[in-house]
């Protein structure tokens, strides 16, 4: 298969970027999208050009490292997968393919298609945990958790922190990401003691990082590779309101 | 070099308890005076960094990814073992210990493995308290599944994403300490050397991958938790950036490298489909709970799997190992698949594949039950191959997955360099010659949460060393070496990408030093590796410069280390003139093709000491003493 690629090239955070076009030819339909970029990069290297920088690691859809907007859609045209799980058989030979980085104020470009998602880590450090000392835990079966609740917690915990939700959102909102963590703890008894503090701190940090707010267009749910549902945003909003009205700490 | 395992004396059951009492303590007020560097943020590194910080130590943690949450532990699918005996099926600490020793083909230390089995219970408690959403029964209690090499159900899991959920648990604990300022996190920062002052590890040299700046960090102790080296085979189930650089550079600074030839080839991976491929995808071993492995009895059978009648199928694992069946350990299942394909019975276009068939389980339990257990794995398989495993069997083939070898450590997890500790897959300690499924997560978290927090105190309390400034000449020298090495790569200015040379190395290694090895092949490989290395240093092309974000440079530097390390791996495989676990020497097999150990000559750990460039490393030996377990032929029949 042959493709005409249009790729965002940007030297570093402070430089201006632009789209550059190139062709790739003779690609097998079983090649993954990132392997297609590998093939292109090897050619660029051998021709003495600088390869395209893009983040990737596990290449099986779980590390959350890859972050490409492909033809306007984060992670590309297939639903429920990351860009690394996308194969060229999802495209037509001869097609134009536009590849861009996540675009959001809180995700500055590092180089080309690679962005800095440190803002997500800072939100997690603000409250995305249950405080427990190593070694101080009771027996794992001491507190039964209804399967339905455990499953709801799991559905939210499946978030891989890739940031596609932000990239798809016209407001660059991170509420699906933050909501997923809030929801995970909401459905587990272990989350109860820090329930109010957690949501308040995480939302504060989210605002401070420059993410926007949700206006219910649900693009995030549509592009989420782990198919996290927007119910987590509703849950987070309810938790936030509840905590704001009743939080008794200064 | 003396290899003193420092295993405490006395009965196996009480060694760890007594050792914890005997180790010296560091006064809480003094802990903040000690600075610890943790390299790697996976299960071992993340849990160690979080726990040490919680105790009051000042921690600097490093990872090359953009966030600590992305370490490769995240990709573990199936589960984590623990001797909880929640299923009432006869499990115990001793049974987990015994299964692990036997699974490792009697090539690991009794005391280490027993401790691992003991703390396994605490790990599950800890993770549940952190909010890890393990699978549960309707009654609200934790669910278990079975894994290879065990006849009890002791594996805890979170759908097919157990590694992810455990890592997010460790990451949340780490995040809390980062928020408190107790851990300083350095993302996109790669360790490129360990710095020794007067023979002790006193810091590291790193490259900031974004700015390209070379920097030094000083500490009272350095912990490496940098994972395994499977990408020496190029195609493996590992993340594409996993590498041997940190442990190999520590080896070059004097840390002994133990049993590098113990590599694990995982039986259930999606077969190679073409030469464009950058990695192989694992299909969790848990699938063998409900999937049956078979090949057609006749070679070159062109019929679709479902059209081949039962009596023309060979369920070879069930036939050869009736008591463990499809749950035979990984090394045995992998070799059996290779045998079947070598005999011309393989399936798929490449003929390097066997069927993993769920038809019986779907008939028995219904599609919904199978989907609940393995839905995400089936989904992943379908995405990659374009085939629907609910309708036709999966095709699988073995792929390099885990490396049991690693830096040599004593009972305290300290390497042969004082002050340099090694945790998780990066060390060699607990799995012998073959790791059982669902034990890697257990070991990573055991080392990080429950072992190093005690044993590092012993080192600090024994001798207080003032912090060395990073302007010390040893730091300056190491920085200079690192800078020169990177410049050397840029200067070659040849015409091949490092990836193409890496692929060439990997193909050779998998062929000659993969699932089966022999003297002739290994000797031949030892001649060819230097040739590939020469090709690399004469013909690699690394564009750009070192003063910016340059992924081609990062990759080339890692490949350069693999090209040296591969030689050590083959050398070890050649010297270990026996078959054991994942190390299968064709010269040493029983009549029915099973691995044949030589306990008289090889019941030991081989630890290699670096002697300098172009000099042969020296092989040291730590004898393995079995006081509790009787060495026996490992049978799963």
């Amino acid at each position: 298969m042959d493709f005409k690629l249009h790729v965002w090239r940007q030297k570093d955070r402070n430089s201006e970027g632009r789209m550059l076009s190139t062709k790739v030819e003779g690609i097998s339909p079983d090649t993954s999208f990132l392997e297609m970029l590998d093939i292109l990069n090897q050619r660029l290297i051998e021709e003495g050009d600088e390869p395209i920088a893009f983040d990737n690691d596990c290449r099986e859809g779980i590390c959350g490292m890859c972050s490409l907007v492909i033809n306007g859609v984060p992670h590309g045209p297939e639903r429920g997968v990351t860009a690394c799980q996308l194969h060229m058989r999802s495209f037509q030979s001869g097609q134009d393919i536009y590849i861009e980085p996540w675009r959001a104020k809180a995700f500055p470009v590092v180089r080309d298609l690679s962005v800095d998602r440190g803002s997500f880590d800072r939100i997690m450090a603000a409250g995305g945990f249950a405080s427990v000392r190593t070694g101080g835990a009771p027996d794992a079966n001491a507190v039964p958790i209804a399967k339905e609740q455990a499953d709801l917690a799991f559905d939210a915990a499946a978030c891989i922190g890739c940031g596609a939700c932000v990239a798809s959102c016209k407001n660059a909102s991170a509420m699906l990401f933050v909501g997923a963590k809030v929801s995970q703890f909401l459905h587990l008894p272990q989350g109860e003691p820090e329930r109010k503090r957690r949501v308040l701190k995480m939302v504060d940090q989210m605002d401070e990082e420059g993410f926007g707010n949700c206006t219910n267009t649900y693009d995030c749910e549509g592009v989420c590779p782990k198919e996290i549902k927007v119910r987590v945003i509703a849950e987070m909003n309810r938790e936030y309101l509840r905590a704001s009205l009743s939080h008794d700490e200064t | 070099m003396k290899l003193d395992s420092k295993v405490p004396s006395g009965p196996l059951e009480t060694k760890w308890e007594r050792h914890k009492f005997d180790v010296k303590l560091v006064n809480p007020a003094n802990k903040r005076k000690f600075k610890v560097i943790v390299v790697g943020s996976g299960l071992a590194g993340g849990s160690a960094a979080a726990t040490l910080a919680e105790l009051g130590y000042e921690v600097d943690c490093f990872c090359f990814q953009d966030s600590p949450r992305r370490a490769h532990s995240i990709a573990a699918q199936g589960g984590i073992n623990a001797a909880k005996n929640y299923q009432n099926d006869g499990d115990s600490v001793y049974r987990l210990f015994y299964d692990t020793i036997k699974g490792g083909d009697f090539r690991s230390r009794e005391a280490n493995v027993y401790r691992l089995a003991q703390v396994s219970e605490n790990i599950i408690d800890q993770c549940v308290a952190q909010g890890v959403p393990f699978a549960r029964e309707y009654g609200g209690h934790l669910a278990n599944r079975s894994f290879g090499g065990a006849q009890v159900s002791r594996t805890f899991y979170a759908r097919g994403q157990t590694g992810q959920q455990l890592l997010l648990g460790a990451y949340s604990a780490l995040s809390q300490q980062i928020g408190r300022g107790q851990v300083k996190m350095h993302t996109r920062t790669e360790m490129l050397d360990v710095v020794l002052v007067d023979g002790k590890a006193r810091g590291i040299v790193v490259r900031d991958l974004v700015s390209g700046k070379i920097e030094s960090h000083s500490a009272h102790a350095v912990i490496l938790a940098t994972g395994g080296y499977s990408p020496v085979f190029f195609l493996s189930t590992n993340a594409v950036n996993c590498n041997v650089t940190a442990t190999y550079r520590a080896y070059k600074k004097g840390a002994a490298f133990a049993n590098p030839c113990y590599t694990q080839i995982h039986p259930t991976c999606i077969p190679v489909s073409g030469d464009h491929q950058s990695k192989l995808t694992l299909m969790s071993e848990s699938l063998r709970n409900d999937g049956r492995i078979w090949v057609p009895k006749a070679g070159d059978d062109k019929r679709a799997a479902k059209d081949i009648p039962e009596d023309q199928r060979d369920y070879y694992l069930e036939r050869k190992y009736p008591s463990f069946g499809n749950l035979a350990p990984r090394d045995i299942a992998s070799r059996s698949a290779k045998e079947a394909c070598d005999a011309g019975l393989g399936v798929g276009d490449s003929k390097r594949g066997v069927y993993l068939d769920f038809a019986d389980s779907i008939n028995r339990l219904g599609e919904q039950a199978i989907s609940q257990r393995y839905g995400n794995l089936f989904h992943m398989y379908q995405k990659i191959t374009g085939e629907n495993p609910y309708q036709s069997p999966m095709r699988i083939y073995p792929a390099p997955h885990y490396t049991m070898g690693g830096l040599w450590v004593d009972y305290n997890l300290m390497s042969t360099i004082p002050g340099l500790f090694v945790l998780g897959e990066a060390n060699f300690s607990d799995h012998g010659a073959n790791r059982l499924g669902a034990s890697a997560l257990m070991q990573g978290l055991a080392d990080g949460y429950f072992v190093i927090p005690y044993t590092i105190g012993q080192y600090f309390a024994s001798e207080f060393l003032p912090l060395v400034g990073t302007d010390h000449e040893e730091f300056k020298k190491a920085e200079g070496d690192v800078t020169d090495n990177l410049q050397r790569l840029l200067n070659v200015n040849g015409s091949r990408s490092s990836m193409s040379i890496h692929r060439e190395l990997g193909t050779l290694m998998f062929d000659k030093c993969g699932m089966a090895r022999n003297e002739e092949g290994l000797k031949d490989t030892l001649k060819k590796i230097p040739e590939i290395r020469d090709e690399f240093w004469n013909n690699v092309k690394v564009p750009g410069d070192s003063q910016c974000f340059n992924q081609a440079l990062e990759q080339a530097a890692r490949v350069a280390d693999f090209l040296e390390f591969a030689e050590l791996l083959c050398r070890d495989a050649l010297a270990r003139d026996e078959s054991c676990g994942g190390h299968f020497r064709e010269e040493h097999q029983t009549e029915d093709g099973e691995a044949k150990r030589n306990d008289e000559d090889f019941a030991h750990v081989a630890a290699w000491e670096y002697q300098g460039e172009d000099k042969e490393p020296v092989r040291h030996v730590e004898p393995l003493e079995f006081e509790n377990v009787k060495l026996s032929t490992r049978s799963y029949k």
Side-chain angles (χ1 to χ4, degrees):
Chain A
M1 303 172 87
D2 305 333
F3 302 100
K4 190 162 185 208
L5 304 183
H6 310 274
V7 185
W8 184 258
R9 304 300 304 256
Q10 181 173 340
K11 174 96 181 125
D12 56 34
R13 192 174 178 145
N14 302 316
S15 308
E16 283 212 0
R18 61 197 171 111
M19 299 296 284
L20 282 179
S21 303
T22 185
K23 276 186 182 157
V24 288
E25 287 164 350
I27 302 289
S28 148
D30 290 331
T31 308
S32 78
F33 197 84
L34 300 191
E35 285 162 359
M36 183 273 294
L37 289 178
D38 286 342
I39 292 170
L40 170 61
N41 271 346
Q42 285 191 71
R43 194 189 82 205
L44 291 174
I45 289 171
E46 284 162 11
E47 287 170 355
D49 291 330
E50 297 212 18
I52 299 158
F54 62 97
D55 280 323
N56 68 99
D57 202 21
C58 79
R59 298 204 175 190
E60 54 186 68
I62 196 74
C63 76
M65 194 100 175
C66 57
S67 48
L68 306 177
V69 175
I70 300 163
N71 287 343
V73 182
H75 294 308
E78 298 279 335
R79 289 197 82 151
V81 294
T82 54
C84 67
Q85 293 173 292
L86 183 64
H87 287 76
M88 299 318 291
R89 68 178 88 93
S90 301
F91 298 85
Q92 305 278 331
S93 188
Q95 193 182 341
D96 283 65
I97 302 177
Y98 292 82
I99 313 173
E100 298 167 82
W102 286 174
R103 294 195 192 279
K105 185 172 134 196
F107 289 163
V109 169
V110 173
R111 178 167 194 167
D112 299 340
L113 303 169
S114 174
V115 298
D116 178 355
R117 285 167 287 195
S119 46
F120 270 14
D121 286 330
R122 290 188 289 276
I123 293 172
M124 289 292 289
F129 47 79
S131 303
V132 48
R133 274 192 167 273
T134 303
D139 184 84
N141 257 350
V143 183
I145 302 172
K147 184 175 188 308
E148 295 79 2
Q149 291 299 312
D151 285 349
L152 283 170
F154 186 94
D155 289 341
C159 169
I160 57 173
C162 63
C165 46
V166 175
S168 70
C169 178
K170 61 179 180 176
N171 306 323
S173 167
M175 288 174 87
L176 195 73
F177 168 77
V178 180
K181 193 45 70 177
V182 169
S183 170
Q184 176 192 344
F185 284 114
L186 178 65
H187 292 284
L188 296 171
Q190 288 81 8
E192 187 61 28
E194 293 162 291
R195 183 173 168 182
K196 294 178 188 173
R197 176 206 305 260
R198 175 178 306 114
V199 68
L200 293 175
K201 291 212 165 181
M202 289 181 83
V203 170
D204 280 356
Q205 189 65 35
M206 175 181 90
D207 291 342
E208 196 173 306
E209 296 290 347
F211 291 106
N213 280 311
C214 175
T215 47
N216 297 306
T217 48
Y218 300 173
D219 260 8
C220 52
E221 180 179 301
V223 300
C224 175
K226 296 295 145 186
E227 300 182 311
I228 310 261
K229 302 288 178 256
V230 289
R231 63 126 173 128
V232 302
I233 299 181
E235 286 174 337
M236 181 184 75
N237 283 336
R238 194 186 61 213
E239 284 298 295
Y240 185 76
L241 186 61
R242 178 180 177 276
S244 309
L245 294 174
S246 63
H247 195 48
D248 41 23
E249 216 180 285
T250 50
Chain B
M1 179 181 283
K2 195 169 163 287
L3 299 173
D4 179 1
S5 69
K6 301 215 174 77
V7 170
S9 58
L12 185 65
E13 292 77 8
T14 55
K15 278 182 199 287
W16 178 232
E17 227 21 72
R18 272 182 299 112
H19 188 66
K20 281 198 287 186
F21 182 74
D22 289 342
V23 295
K24 293 180 188 160
L25 296 177
V26 180
N27 172 320
N30 283 339
K31 286 199 178 92
R32 63 171 184 270
K33 295 178 189 158
F34 288 98
K35 204 171 160 182
V36 185
I37 282 172
V38 180
V39 187
S41 63
L43 286 186
S47 61
T51 305
L52 292 172
E54 191 181 288
L55 286 170
Y57 294 110
E58 198 188 321
V59 178
D60 275 81
C61 185
F62 297 80
C63 69
F64 65 71
Q65 296 92 343
D66 74 331
S67 162
R69 68 180 292 158
R70 310 214 193 275
H72 188 57
S73 306
I74 205 154
Q77 296 169 353
I80 176 166
N81 286 331
K84 281 286 197 186
N85 194 30
Y86 283 163
Q87 301 300 321
N88 195 29
D89 56 359
D91 201 8
S92 63
V93 167
Y94 195 86
R95 190 179 294 283
L96 175 54
F97 155 75
Y98 183 79
D99 286 348
T100 307
I101 287 272
K102 178 186 169 194
D105 217 355
F106 305 95
R107 289 292 176 264
S108 41
R109 255 188 226 143
E110 279 189 345
N112 283 58
V113 178
Y114 196 84
R115 174 175 68 188
L116 176 67
Q118 281 176 307
V119 303
S120 69
E121 300 186 43
N122 307 95
I123 295 172
I124 303 301
D125 300 342
Q126 182 66 25
C127 293
V128 166
Q130 288 170 341
V132 171
F134 283 120
R136 285 176 186 270
E137 313 278 4
Y138 280 102
H141 293 112
L142 292 161
N144 290 110
R145 56 167 58 141
S146 303
F147 250 64
Q151 287 174 312
V152 293
S153 281
R154 64 160 73 100
T155 304
F156 294 79
Y157 62 100
R159 290 186 204 157
Q161 286 136 275
T162 317
Q164 181 202 18
Q165 294 308 321
L166 295 178
L167 182 62
L168 293 183
Y171 164 72
S172 70
L174 179 62
S175 293
Q176 185 185 12
Q177 298 303 326
I178 294 170
R180 285 181 62 216
Q182 200 67 29
V183 174
K184 186 155 189 284
M185 190 69 219
H186 306 260
T187 58
R188 291 198 197 268
T189 308
E190 183 165 22
M191 186 204 110
L192 293 178
D193 213 350
V194 186
V195 178
L196 272 58
V197 177
D198 299 329
K200 296 189 174 69
R202 307 305 304 274
I204 58 173
V205 173
V206 299
R207 179 165 180 266
D208 177 327
L209 299 180
V210 177
S211 69
K213 223 173 133 213
I214 303 295
E215 293 164 354
S216 286
H217 294 268
S218 157
H220 293 94
V222 176
I223 294 174
L224 299 187
T226 53
Y229 48 83
S230 282
V232 72
F233 298 105
F234 186 67
L235 285 181
S236 79
T237 65
N238 283 194
V240 292
N241 296 309
C242 290
N243 64 80
V244 76
T245 291
T247 47
Y248 190 71
R249 306 248 170 134
Y251 160 75
K252 285 175 99 170
K253 282 291 173 84
F257 209 111
N259 302 332
C261 79
Y262 290 168
T263 57
Q264 178 168 77
I265 314 286
H266 196 293
T268 47
C269 303
I270 300 178
V272 178
S273 74
D275 57 9
H276 55 266
Q277 218 156 344
S278 59
K279 79 156 274 163
L280 296 171
T281 302
L282 175 74
M283 290 283 103
S284 167
E285 176 161 316
S286 60
L287 291 168
R288 291 199 272 144
N289 271 296
D290 289 303
R292 298 179 69 196
I293 292 177
W294 63 277
V295 288
K297 279 185 179 164
D300 219 26
D301 196 324
K302 295 231 166 29
R303 289 175 289 181
K306 63 177 190 318
D307 298 331
I308 300 177
E310 278 294 309
D311 64 341
Q312 293 173 37
R313 301 174 174 192
D314 182 11
Y315 294 90
Y316 57 83
L317 287 177
E318 296 172 24
R319 172 173 58 78
K320 292 200 288 189
Y321 309 101
S323 59
F324 281 72
N326 292 297
L327 285 173
R330 290 177 175 176
D331 51 339
I332 288 173
S334 288
R335 270 200 299 280
S336 299
K338 179 178 187 293
E339 266 170 40
C341 295
D342 287 348
L345 303 174
V347 298
D349 290 340
S350 66
K351 299 281 168 208
R352 303 306 293 180
V354 299
Y355 287 128
L356 177 61
D357 197 338
F358 294 88
D360 282 359
S361 296
I362 291 173
N363 284 337
R364 184 163 43 93
L365 304 164
E367 194 169 310
Q368 202 190 347
I370 294 298
S371 155
Q372 268 178 5
R373 283 181 201 173
Y374 313 111
N376 70 313
L377 298 170
F378 277 47
H379 176 76
M380 197 194 290
Y381 183 85
Q382 187 163 9
K383 285 289 165 204
I384 292 173
T385 61
E387 296 165 18
N388 180 350
Y390 291 101
Q391 285 160 11
S392 56
M394 289 183 178
R395 284 174 300 108
I396 53 162
Y397 196 67
H401 177 56
Y402 184 89
T403 53
M404 285 73 68
L407 291 180
W408 184 91
V409 289
D410 63 16
Y411 190 70
N412 294 319
L413 303 182
M414 189 155 85
S415 70
T416 54
I417 298 176
L420 181 72
F421 295 82
V422 191
L423 316 186
E425 190 178 352
N427 75 26
F428 87 106
S429 71
D430 294 355
H431 306 296
N434 173 56
R435 177 175 67 75
L436 290 182
S439 286
L441 301 181
M442 173 172 70
Q443 187 220 338
L445 290 180
D447 288 359
Y449 282 135
F450 296 109
V451 179
I452 192 70
Y454 293 94
T455 58
I456 204 168
Q458 165 84 356
Y459 176 71
F460 289 146
S462 305
E463 47 182 327
F464 183 80
L465 299 161
L467 216 56
V468 179
T470 53
D471 52 358
H472 188 282
E473 58 179 47
E474 290 293 342
F475 277 100
K476 290 295 148 204
K477 187 175 169 298
E479 285 178 21
D481 290 347
V482 164
T483 310
D484 291 349
N485 192 41
L486 295 173
Q487 196 52 50
R488 231 179 109 207
L489 288 164
L490 292 162
N491 289 348
V492 177
N493 208 11
S495 62
R496 282 181 72 181
S497 67
S498 64
M499 191 193 245
S500 77
I501 300 173
H502 190 183
R503 194 185 288 274
E504 188 181 332
L505 172 75
T507 309
L508 175 71
M509 291 296 289
F510 189 61
D511 196 28
K512 301 287 187 196
C513 199
M515 267 183 285
R517 300 149 178 191
N518 62 50
E519 185 180 344
E520 195 194 333
L522 290 168
K523 283 187 170 160
D524 187 44
T525 308
L526 280 168
K527 278 196 206 103
K528 282 189 180 140
I529 295 169
E531 289 166 21
I532 302 177
R533 199 162 57 222
D534 280 350
E535 165 71 4
F536 177 87
W537 285 107
N538 287 311
N539 206 12
V540 75
K541 172 79 187 178
V542 184
D545 59 61
S546 64
Q547 305 301 309
C548 63
F549 188 61
N550 185 344
Q551 292 173 316
L553 179 63
E554 294 164 28
Q555 286 157 7
R558 292 170 194 153
V559 173
D561 288 330
F562 276 128
L563 283 164
E564 292 183 24
F565 173 74
E567 210 175 310
L568 185 69
L569 201 166
C570 291
R571 212 180 277 283
D572 188 46
L574 184 62
R576 186 166 286 278
D577 195 15
E578 66 159 351
S579 292
C580 57
H583 170 64
F584 189 73
R585 283 284 299 267
E586 287 167 344
E587 302 93 321
H588 303 288
Q589 47 182 309
T590 61
E591 274 172 22
D592 42 3
E594 304 291 340
K596 199 169 157 193
R597 286 197 326 262
N598 173 354
D599 292 332
E600 203 167 308
D601 299 320
F602 290 100
H604 61 235
V605 176
W608 296 83
E609 185 187 10
Y610 185 70
Q611 299 292 313
E613 235 161 279
D614 301 323
K615 288 194 188 127
E616 285 201 11
V618 173
R619 185 177 189 266
H620 298 275
V621 160
E622 179 204 332
L624 289 168
E625 280 147 31
F626 294 91
E627 294 167 351
N628 300 275
V629 168
K630 200 170 149 282
L631 291 182
S632 60
T633 303
R634 185 168 158 248
S635 169
Y636 291 93
K637 288 191 190 290

